Amino acid sequence: MRQHVNPLSRFFQLPLELPAPAELFADPQQPIHLDIGCARGRFLLALAQQQPAVNHLGVEIRRALVKAAEADRQALALGNLHYLFCNANVSLQAWMDALPAGQLDLVSIQFPDPWFKKKHHKRRVLQPELLLAIASALAPGKRLFLQSDVLAVIEPMVGLTEASGCFSRPAADAHPWRADNPLPVPTERETYVLGQELPVYRVLYERNEAPLPELAVLEQWLEATPEPTDNPLESAVPTA
């Protein structure tokens, strides 16, 4: 089963000051790929070896997974990869605000914890404030990639992203879902789901030049939007 951590508990509401790129990467000037909710981190471990000219940062709210992922990274002495423990909705905004303009190249959120019950939806990772922080940090043309195997999870993420007006889909991408993964390495969850011949729902966005909307506008949109129905798939496989 999925191992949930309640991001709204008091412990996870304490903001952490995250290290600057100069403290994380051997070459801090390289473009950055930020993977939010990286779980055990094996996806990024493989991707960082394939893409040495990109710095990869995985953030995860489950400390034990971050510790194990960091041990793997250190064993391979990868200077373009790092994992950090944090609550993305509490600690990432200040870190992204401090990045040089244009350095954040890609943000990915893949197979996030679903939090199926209506009363738990505020625990889902892509909240309006985090989306606005991502949109603020991404220069026009930079990318946001979302994927899940649960329609009831991906549809609100897509709806919120498009309601912001800050992102556009590449003209060549299929609708409503992209046919393939734009990244060369699948996550463990993706490999499992595809192996069961089940669908994966993917959307790639590019930051456009639209200004950020007010936070209250997105919060009101989210509150007013009816929840989609879905028959969720649960398994013992990690969610990312």
Side-chain angles (χ1 to χ4, degrees):
M1 298 297 290
R2 300 174 189 259
Q3 298 178 353
H4 294 304
V5 169
N6 179 6
L8 300 182
S9 67
R10 181 176 299 179
F11 175 77
F12 293 110
Q13 291 301 301
L14 297 174
L16 300 176
E17 185 175 350
L18 304 182
E23 300 176 54
L24 299 174
F25 306 115
D27 182 356
Q29 305 304 316
Q30 293 188 154
I32 293 174
H33 167 206
L34 171 63
D35 188 50
I36 298 175
C38 66
R40 182 58 176 76
R42 294 188 178 96
F43 153 74
L44 283 182
L45 194 72
L47 188 62
Q49 294 174 78
Q50 289 193 24
Q51 299 180 339
V54 176
N55 288 331
H56 301 270
L57 176 62
V59 298
E60 170 60 47
I61 199 170
R62 290 164 287 189
R63 191 190 296 270
L65 297 184
V66 174
K67 184 177 179 180
E70 264 294 288
D72 290 344
R73 180 195 71 82
Q74 292 173 16
L76 293 174
L78 293 175
N80 69 322
L81 172 64
H82 214 100
Y83 301 97
L84 293 176
F85 160 75
C86 77
N87 181 344
N89 278 286
V90 173
S91 300
L92 266 184
Q93 182 171 353
W95 187 85
M96 289 190 289
D97 285 346
L99 290 176
Q103 186 171 14
L104 188 61
D105 185 67
L106 168 67
V107 177
S108 55
I109 304 176
Q110 305 181 77
F111 304 94
D113 288 343
W115 297 110
F116 293 113
K117 295 181 180 179
K118 176 70 174 178
K119 66 180 181 179
H120 291 160
H121 287 180
K122 289 186 178 180
R123 301 180 183 183
R124 289 179 171 177
V125 65
L126 191 60
Q127 298 296 325
E129 193 165 3
L130 179 58
L131 177 64
L132 291 180
I134 293 169
S136 179
L138 289 173
K142 303 299 185 179
R143 301 166 296 159
L144 169 64
F145 177 54
L146 309 174
Q147 67 170 337
S148 175
D149 56 318
V150 182
L151 274 173
V153 172
I154 191 71
E155 287 183 342
M157 295 169 70
V158 167
L160 180 65
T161 303
E162 297 188 353
S164 75
C166 296
F167 294 92
S168 304
R169 300 193 191 191
D173 278 10
H175 286 65
W177 311 113
R178 182 184 170 97
D180 58 4
N181 189 335
L183 301 173
V185 177
T187 73
E188 291 178 78
R189 179 72 182 184
E190 183 177 0
T191 298
Y192 172 80
V193 171
L194 293 177
Q196 300 298 307
E197 298 185 349
L198 295 169
V200 172
Y201 309 104
R202 308 181 180 96
V203 181
L204 179 67
Y205 289 103
E206 295 175 348
R207 179 67 168 98
N208 57 35
E209 297 186 359
L212 300 181
E214 295 293 329
L215 175 61
V217 172
L218 291 186
E219 290 176 336
Q220 291 168 6
W221 179 91
L222 195 61
E223 185 65 26
T225 302
E227 183 67 15
T229 58
D230 190 22
N231 182 20
L233 172 68
E234 286 289 287
S235 76
V237 178
T239 59

